[in-house]
Amino acid sequence: MSFVVAQSHFIFGVRTGVRNNLCFFDEQTVVFPSGNSCVCFNTVQRWQRFISGSERSQGMRAMTISSNRRYLAVSDYGERATVTVFDLQHEQGRKRKILSAGDMSVQEFICIAFSPDSKYLIGLTEGPEWMLILWLWEKHKLLATLKTPNTNNPVTQVSFNPYNNTQLCVSGTGVFKLFRYSEGALKQSSVAKVESINFLCHTWMSEHRVIAGTDTGRLLVFESGDLRREISMTSKIKDANVDEGPSVPSITAILSYSKGFACSRGPGTVFLFEQTDESGYRKTREIKIPLDAYCSGVTLAEYQQIDTICFSPAEETLAISTNRGQLYSVSLSSEDKLHFELLSQSFHSSSITGLSICIRKPLVATCSLDRSVRIWNYETKVLELYKEFQEEAYSVALHPTGLFILVGFSDRLRLMNLLIDDIRTFKEFTVRSCRECAFSNGGHMFAAVNGNIIQIYSVTSFDNILNLKGHNGKVCQIEWSLDDSRVVSCGVDGAVYEWNTQSGKRESESVLKSCSYTGVAFSSDCKTILAVGTDLTLKEIQDCQVLREVPADETAHTALAVSHSGRVVFTGTSSGTVRAIKYPLPIQKEWITYQAHSGPVTKMVITYDDQFLLTVSEDGCLLIWKIIDKEGRGLKSNKHIVHTEEILITKSDLEEKTQHMLEMKMRLEELQMENEYQLRLKDMNYNEKLRELSDNFVQQIGTLKTSQQAMKTEMEKQECENQQNSAELIMKHSKELKDLELSYSQKLIVEHEKYQDLEQKHQRMLEDYEKQLKSAEDRKIQAVEELTKMYEAKLQEKTQLLAQCQEDAEQKISVFKAIIKQAEEDEERKILEIQTNYEKKMKTEKQTNANLKGKNSIMAQKFISLQKRIDDRSADINKLKQERQRLLGLIRSLESDIEDLKRQISGHEKTSQDKDHIILCLKRKNQELEKLKFVLEFQLNELKQKTEPLQHDISVKKERISQLEEELIQTDKSNAQLKLTVSELKLKLKTRDKEMCKESQKVKDLETHLQRLKSDLHNCVSFIQEPKTLKDNIQMIYTRYVQQTERVSVLRKTPRAGWMLGGLEIKLKCMSHLEAEINELRKELHLARTQAKDVKAQLALLKKPKKSQPILEEAAYQDPKQLGVS
């Protein structure tokens, strides 16, 4: 049989007291702490992913997300505070690094922050030291630490400059400082004089600007660490006065974004500020937490203090968390929204005291010290109902049908109906501060605890049937058997009783006065009873005897639940963990522990189909677990449970809703009648306008025909003029090209001959220089060989000296090690002797204590004398502890001395070796440099004598070459310009021809459209006496001849009347524009044709064969830069 395990499925609740306890992973996913884990919650698909915390931590204190939204850092407090970095892109939230403060004793980090590039992590510790610790977290390296000089002023926040990895800002009460990491330490760069101001939060706006919020509601702007001005809430900027401040609500959270920043303003309010210029900010929106509609009395929803503000990556959503454990969000894209909405559901804000489920519906009921009762659906993961009351709720029980609920308040026990949208009381019982209540499985009875008495009532008659008396202390839990014939109860008095619900007598009992029981349950077959208490064990009781005991570790069990299949028992502990234990119970400590809550588990229950485990805690969270086997499959249940969908509603509510529906239907009918009447009136108006428009169209068609004929004649004239101009231009260009070719061909021949002479001289010079270089290299080789022989002899001497020095150092080290070993052995012997004496004394004291506990009930008189002996022994133990601590301190001091001596020896050896090596290298370099200097000076003198006449010739020739290059560049530029003008003229000709063709085609299309329109209008005249057919024909003509774009533009301009007239006006304007454009085109065509003719004539002349054509082409198209380089 495979072992049953539990898997975290969904959690309702947020952990308060954690700094920055809300952040966005992406546009749809938020991360927040809940229980003892961090939860990634998708707000659209409504799934959750759990990142479990560390096992030994006592709770979370702060969290932060990196700027690239990949890494999440969480600080845990305990004996040694740690910071854990998780990889959010990994499916299970893999742990990357666990950071600590090294040898320093740090209990908690109150604020942590990533650098902009996510490489560094800064942590701020709790007072009185208020220490800053900087890590290079990926390499698990502690870079720097810094203690604040003034320990009286508490520090609240630390943050990185988003534009600089090495700059930090720290704020607190009378503290506002900027630090910079340089040369392996955190150095203070600026301090503002703000001793009387209490800063609660701050945010970076730019590389040098920080805005901070105070407890008096002031927004102060700092530039490069200096206080410059104050931003008032009336969107004006005034000069800062540090000493005086108005008593207004405090600013507890602030965060910048691309447009400006958002900050809290007292309870339940967030202001959005946008930047107007480089130094000004203006308030644009005020967003508030709405009133709680489900609260019956005074509500605290709108008076919640805002702890954290965060923006989504695209800055479309703003989310906040409050001090009452609620999450709200608002969309910034819709500016109409002035109130926040719940991000998921409303959660409990205090300890959950009651938990109950029903059979016929997938519902869970919880009650809390926050005076609310909530109904959850564990299948759809939705809050179905909730209501706040005037009194605190201590216990809750759901009826098996899921239609009624029993709630124990401080003044009375109330039986209520679960309606469609409300929880209403219909019967009250005089049971004060009822800490436990439960319905029977049949639903016909319920049991309620009244002090140390268990009262059983009938659900049908509401009479008190039985009073079960026997407990001497407070009753902690009661549970019904499957057939409702028995009730089991446990209490603080150490008693577990099994009652008969028909006779009211005790059937079995088990009393252990040294243990106060906190949880009790029947086994799956109801033959045995399982109980947990303060003695740290899980007991199985049958027939007044304890059958089995499962010993626990240091944590006590606080609640338990047994599966209906009888395969597993789940227990909750005082540390918030949940344990899965096999059933039948094992003898040894065999269980699986799960990280669940951050406070003691108060209640836990398994659903009737064995699919889900539900746990609640003092941290105000409801956690849903999925019960599966080790292969990942759900448990098979013998019972087939069918969930119903019926709901309760009162007759008055139903009548109100039906009446409202009837009124809405009547209103709909009236609106339909009004719309039909208005449509008829509009049709009549449009028919009249259509007639007027048809007459206007006929007149416009006649005018358009005459304008078309005039445009044709003008087009023909422009064509003739363009052809003449183009022929003239071609002739001119051809003549100019011929003249230029003749002149430049002769110049190029002369320059080419000069260039060849210069090349021959250059080659001779190169040959001479190569011979000289070879002779210099031979001399260098001989000098190097002589030097190597000299230095090899010196190296041998030095190596012998080094060997002698090393032998001496080894002898000294061996002597020093022997001394250290003797000291260590002596200290270890002393420690062992102290430990053995201490252990012997501890064993004897444990034996005496055990005997005293056994004889405590019989020998009460001897207790005082024994207690004195125990006090004496404890004093001896304290003395031994002090001696041990003193000896440990001595050992540590000796170890530090040894390490210092080792470092000094290694340092001396390294410095001596380094100095010898440096001296040798410097001597060698000096000798080499002197020889090289002598050789180079001799070579330089020879080269100077040879190169002086040559340099004079080269300078003269370079001047001549530069003159020739300038002439060639000018000729190439003129040739390129001529080519460009020819190509531009050709392109213009082509574009003119195309435009002419398009215009002629447009004219033809317009003529055909006009002829068709005339014929269609002529046909419509015959239907003047028939208005319907005439209307249809005119609509057909309109749809056929008027384009869609024209119709849309006309309808937009004239929505009610005159839409046809507007279309005609637009057409007339278009025709006038067309006429002007055609006239201009004709003129341009005429010019282009004349230019084209000139170009063609010039090209024809160029194409004629010439004798000197190959030489000219080479000269014209050769690159002038190549000639200059050669």
Side-chain angles (χ1 to χ4, degrees), residues 1075-1098:
E1075 284 176 7
E1077 284 177 4
I1078 288 160
N1079 289 326
E1080 288 174 1
L1081 286 166
R1082 280 175 179 166
K1083 291 174 184 177
E1084 287 177 3
L1085 239 175
H1086 185 67
L1087 289 166
R1089 281 178 179 171
T1090 53
Q1091 288 173 0
K1093 282 177 184 178
D1094 293 337
V1095 173
K1096 281 176 184 177
Q1098 288 176 4

Short mmCIF file of all heavy atoms in Angstrom, two decimals, residues 1075-1098:
data_model
loop_
_atom_site.label_atom_id
_atom_site.label_comp_id
_atom_site.label_asym_id
_atom_site.label_seq_id
_atom_site.Cartn_x
_atom_site.Cartn_y
_atom_site.Cartn_z
N GLU A 1075 -8.69 70.14 -62.70
CA GLU A 1075 -8.44 71.04 -63.83
C GLU A 1075 -7.12 71.79 -63.66
O GLU A 1075 -6.32 71.89 -64.60
CB GLU A 1075 -9.60 72.04 -63.94
CG GLU A 1075 -10.87 71.43 -64.54
CD GLU A 1075 -12.02 72.43 -64.53
OE1 GLU A 1075 -11.79 73.59 -64.19
OE2 GLU A 1075 -13.14 72.03 -64.87
N ALA A 1076 -6.89 72.33 -62.46
CA ALA A 1076 -5.63 73.07 -62.21
C ALA A 1076 -4.42 72.18 -62.38
O ALA A 1076 -3.42 72.57 -62.98
CB ALA A 1076 -5.66 73.66 -60.81
N GLU A 1077 -4.52 70.94 -61.87
CA GLU A 1077 -3.40 70.00 -61.99
C GLU A 1077 -3.12 69.63 -63.43
O GLU A 1077 -1.96 69.51 -63.84
CB GLU A 1077 -3.70 68.74 -61.17
CG GLU A 1077 -3.52 68.94 -59.68
CD GLU A 1077 -3.89 67.72 -58.88
OE1 GLU A 1077 -4.22 66.69 -59.50
OE2 GLU A 1077 -3.86 67.82 -57.65
N ILE A 1078 -4.17 69.44 -64.22
CA ILE A 1078 -3.99 69.06 -65.64
C ILE A 1078 -3.29 70.18 -66.40
O ILE A 1078 -2.41 69.95 -67.24
CB ILE A 1078 -5.35 68.69 -66.27
CG1 ILE A 1078 -5.81 67.32 -65.71
CG2 ILE A 1078 -5.26 68.61 -67.80
CD1 ILE A 1078 -7.29 67.06 -65.86
N ASN A 1079 -3.69 71.43 -66.12
CA ASN A 1079 -3.03 72.58 -66.78
C ASN A 1079 -1.53 72.62 -66.47
O ASN A 1079 -0.71 72.84 -67.36
CB ASN A 1079 -3.69 73.89 -66.34
CG ASN A 1079 -5.10 74.03 -66.93
OD1 ASN A 1079 -5.36 73.57 -68.05
ND2 ASN A 1079 -6.02 74.63 -66.19
N GLU A 1080 -1.21 72.41 -65.16
CA GLU A 1080 0.20 72.41 -64.79
C GLU A 1080 0.96 71.27 -65.46
O GLU A 1080 2.09 71.42 -65.91
CB GLU A 1080 0.31 72.27 -63.28
CG GLU A 1080 -0.10 73.54 -62.54
CD GLU A 1080 -0.10 73.34 -61.04
OE1 GLU A 1080 0.23 72.22 -60.61
OE2 GLU A 1080 -0.45 74.29 -60.31
N LEU A 1081 0.33 70.09 -65.53
CA LEU A 1081 0.98 68.93 -66.15
C LEU A 1081 1.25 69.15 -67.64
O LEU A 1081 2.27 68.71 -68.18
CB LEU A 1081 0.12 67.68 -65.96
CG LEU A 1081 0.12 67.07 -64.54
CD1 LEU A 1081 -1.01 66.06 -64.40
CD2 LEU A 1081 1.44 66.41 -64.25
N ARG A 1082 0.32 69.82 -68.32
CA ARG A 1082 0.54 70.10 -69.75
C ARG A 1082 1.78 70.96 -69.96
O ARG A 1082 2.59 70.69 -70.86
CB ARG A 1082 -0.69 70.82 -70.32
CG ARG A 1082 -1.84 69.84 -70.64
CD ARG A 1082 -3.06 70.60 -71.08
NE ARG A 1082 -4.14 69.70 -71.40
CZ ARG A 1082 -5.40 70.08 -71.55
NH1 ARG A 1082 -5.72 71.36 -71.41
NH2 ARG A 1082 -6.33 69.21 -71.85
N LYS A 1083 1.91 71.98 -69.11
CA LYS A 1083 3.08 72.85 -69.24
C LYS A 1083 4.38 72.08 -68.99
O LYS A 1083 5.33 72.19 -69.74
CB LYS A 1083 2.98 74.01 -68.25
CG LYS A 1083 1.88 75.01 -68.59
CD LYS A 1083 1.75 76.05 -67.49
CE LYS A 1083 0.59 77.02 -67.76
NZ LYS A 1083 0.42 77.99 -66.66
N GLU A 1084 4.36 71.26 -67.90
CA GLU A 1084 5.56 70.49 -67.59
C GLU A 1084 5.89 69.49 -68.68
O GLU A 1084 7.06 69.24 -68.98
CB GLU A 1084 5.35 69.76 -66.26
CG GLU A 1084 5.40 70.69 -65.05
CD GLU A 1084 5.12 69.95 -63.75
OE1 GLU A 1084 4.93 68.73 -63.80
OE2 GLU A 1084 5.05 70.63 -62.71
N LEU A 1085 4.85 68.89 -69.31
CA LEU A 1085 5.07 67.92 -70.39
C LEU A 1085 5.75 68.57 -71.57
O LEU A 1085 6.67 68.03 -72.19
CB LEU A 1085 3.73 67.32 -70.81
CG LEU A 1085 3.59 65.79 -70.68
CD1 LEU A 1085 2.19 65.38 -71.00
CD2 LEU A 1085 4.57 65.08 -71.57
N HIS A 1086 5.27 69.75 -71.92
CA HIS A 1086 5.85 70.47 -73.06
C HIS A 1086 7.34 70.74 -72.82
O HIS A 1086 8.17 70.52 -73.72
CB HIS A 1086 5.09 71.79 -73.26
CG HIS A 1086 5.55 72.55 -74.50
ND1 HIS A 1086 5.33 72.08 -75.80
CD2 HIS A 1086 6.21 73.72 -74.60
CE1 HIS A 1086 5.86 72.94 -76.65
NE2 HIS A 1086 6.38 73.95 -75.95
N LEU A 1087 7.69 71.21 -71.59
CA LEU A 1087 9.09 71.48 -71.26
C LEU A 1087 9.94 70.22 -71.28
O LEU A 1087 11.05 70.19 -71.80
CB LEU A 1087 9.18 72.13 -69.89
CG LEU A 1087 8.67 73.58 -69.78
CD1 LEU A 1087 8.50 73.96 -68.34
CD2 LEU A 1087 9.62 74.55 -70.48
N ALA A 1088 9.37 69.14 -70.71
CA ALA A 1088 10.12 67.88 -70.64
C ALA A 1088 10.42 67.31 -72.01
O ALA A 1088 11.49 66.77 -72.27
CB ALA A 1088 9.34 66.86 -69.82
N ARG A 1089 9.46 67.44 -72.94
CA ARG A 1089 9.68 66.90 -74.30
C ARG A 1089 10.78 67.66 -75.03
O ARG A 1089 11.60 67.07 -75.74
CB ARG A 1089 8.37 66.97 -75.08
CG ARG A 1089 7.42 65.81 -74.70
CD ARG A 1089 6.11 65.90 -75.43
NE ARG A 1089 5.24 64.79 -75.06
CZ ARG A 1089 3.97 64.71 -75.40
NH1 ARG A 1089 3.40 65.69 -76.11
NH2 ARG A 1089 3.25 63.66 -75.05
N THR A 1090 10.77 68.96 -74.88
CA THR A 1090 11.84 69.76 -75.53
C THR A 1090 13.22 69.38 -74.96
O THR A 1090 14.17 69.24 -75.70
CB THR A 1090 11.58 71.25 -75.31
OG1 THR A 1090 11.41 71.48 -73.90
CG2 THR A 1090 10.35 71.73 -76.05
N GLN A 1091 13.27 69.20 -73.63
CA GLN A 1091 14.53 68.80 -73.01
C GLN A 1091 14.97 67.42 -73.48
O GLN A 1091 16.15 67.17 -73.74
CB GLN A 1091 14.41 68.79 -71.49
CG GLN A 1091 14.35 70.18 -70.90
CD GLN A 1091 14.06 70.15 -69.40
OE1 GLN A 1091 13.92 69.08 -68.85
NE2 GLN A 1091 13.96 71.33 -68.81
N ALA A 1092 14.02 66.53 -73.63
CA ALA A 1092 14.34 65.16 -74.08
C ALA A 1092 14.90 65.17 -75.49
O ALA A 1092 15.81 64.39 -75.80
CB ALA A 1092 13.09 64.29 -74.02
N LYS A 1093 14.34 66.01 -76.36
CA LYS A 1093 14.87 66.09 -77.73
C LYS A 1093 16.32 66.54 -77.75
O LYS A 1093 17.15 65.99 -78.47
CB LYS A 1093 14.01 67.08 -78.54
CG LYS A 1093 12.66 66.50 -78.99
CD LYS A 1093 11.83 67.54 -79.71
CE LYS A 1093 10.45 67.00 -80.08
NZ LYS A 1093 9.63 68.03 -80.74
N ASP A 1094 16.64 67.54 -76.92
CA ASP A 1094 18.03 68.02 -76.86
C ASP A 1094 18.97 66.92 -76.39
O ASP A 1094 20.06 66.72 -76.91
CB ASP A 1094 18.12 69.21 -75.90
CG ASP A 1094 17.35 70.42 -76.45
OD1 ASP A 1094 17.15 70.49 -77.66
OD2 ASP A 1094 16.95 71.28 -75.61
N VAL A 1095 18.54 66.19 -75.35
CA VAL A 1095 19.37 65.11 -74.80
C VAL A 1095 19.60 64.02 -75.82
O VAL A 1095 20.69 63.48 -75.99
CB VAL A 1095 18.73 64.54 -73.51
CG1 VAL A 1095 19.49 63.31 -73.05
CG2 VAL A 1095 18.73 65.59 -72.40
N LYS A 1096 18.53 63.67 -76.58
CA LYS A 1096 18.66 62.61 -77.60
C LYS A 1096 19.66 63.02 -78.69
O LYS A 1096 20.45 62.21 -79.17
CB LYS A 1096 17.30 62.32 -78.22
CG LYS A 1096 16.42 61.44 -77.33
CD LYS A 1096 15.05 61.26 -77.96
CE LYS A 1096 14.12 60.46 -77.05
NZ LYS A 1096 12.76 60.34 -77.62
N ALA A 1097 19.60 64.29 -79.10
CA ALA A 1097 20.52 64.77 -80.14
C ALA A 1097 21.98 64.69 -79.65
O ALA A 1097 22.86 64.26 -80.40
CB ALA A 1097 20.18 66.22 -80.50
N GLN A 1098 22.19 65.07 -78.40
CA GLN A 1098 23.56 65.00 -77.86
C GLN A 1098 24.05 63.57 -77.75
O GLN A 1098 25.22 63.27 -78.02
CB GLN A 1098 23.60 65.67 -76.49
CG GLN A 1098 23.47 67.18 -76.55
CD GLN A 1098 23.42 67.80 -75.17
OE1 GLN A 1098 23.54 67.10 -74.19
NE2 GLN A 1098 23.22 69.10 -75.13
#
